Amino acid sequence: MTKPLILAVDDEELNLRLIQAALDPAYEVMTASSGEECLKLVKDIKPVLILLDITMDGVSGHEVCEKLQADEATESIPIVFITGSEETPNRIKAYANGAIGYILKPIDPKKLQGKIDKLLKEASQTL
């Protein structure tokens, strides 16, 4: 049985490694270190969920989310922001752009896996 594929996008390598370790072995995790890389990868790999940092050089997480939601090929992929930003405007913008979750850093591995399990279960029930 193949594991569900999650795409983790963050410009900090340490965060990507933490996400991979937290979600292994339940999920296969591919990583992208920029918004641009995410947008290139996403159509080819078809992840069940995208974990997306907000603050990145180049294309921000908010911009990536807007582009994914505006494209028929990617609009149904659930997006969860993982960010250090507790600012209310960032949360509001994330959900307004179609995100299904907002997780604050630093990442707690057990909480992350539990949250992802729950969000994917909820997302599959609404499809």
Side-chain angles (χ1 to χ4, degrees), residues 84-106:
S85 175
E86 293 186 53
E87 298 173 13
T88 300
N90 270 330
R91 284 181 188 261
I92 292 169
K93 188 171 186 178
Y95 287 114
N97 286 338
I100 66 164
Y102 196 93
I103 299 171
L104 291 174
K105 295 176 186 175

Side-chain angles (χ1 to χ4, degrees), residues 5 18 21 46 64-65 69 75 96 105 110 112 118 120 126:
L5 175 63
L18 286 169
K46 297 180 178 65
V64 171
C65 187
Q69 292 294 304
E75 69 183 357
K105 295 176 186 175
K110 289 185 193 253
L112 177 63
K118 182 178 186 254
L120 283 174
T126 60

Side-chain angles (χ1 to χ4, degrees), residues 30-102:
M30 286 194 70
T31 62
S33 59
S34 69
E36 294 91 341
E37 187 179 358
C38 170
L39 292 169
K40 288 177 187 170
L41 273 175
V42 73
K43 289 182 185 176
D44 292 332
I45 65 169
K46 297 180 178 65
V48 297
L49 180 101
I50 298 173
L51 298 173
L52 185 58
D53 187 23
I54 290 177
T55 308
M56 298 183 286
D57 290 335
V59 180
S60 75
H62 286 306
E63 292 172 290
V64 171
C65 187
E66 288 170 5
K67 289 179 182 189
L68 293 171
Q69 292 294 304
D71 186 334
E72 255 183 47
T74 56
E75 69 183 357
S76 65
I77 301 170
I79 296 170
V80 174
F81 281 102
I82 295 187
T83 182
S85 175
E86 293 186 53
E87 298 173 13
T88 300
N90 270 330
R91 284 181 188 261
I92 292 169
K93 188 171 186 178
Y95 287 114
N97 286 338
I100 66 164
Y102 196 93

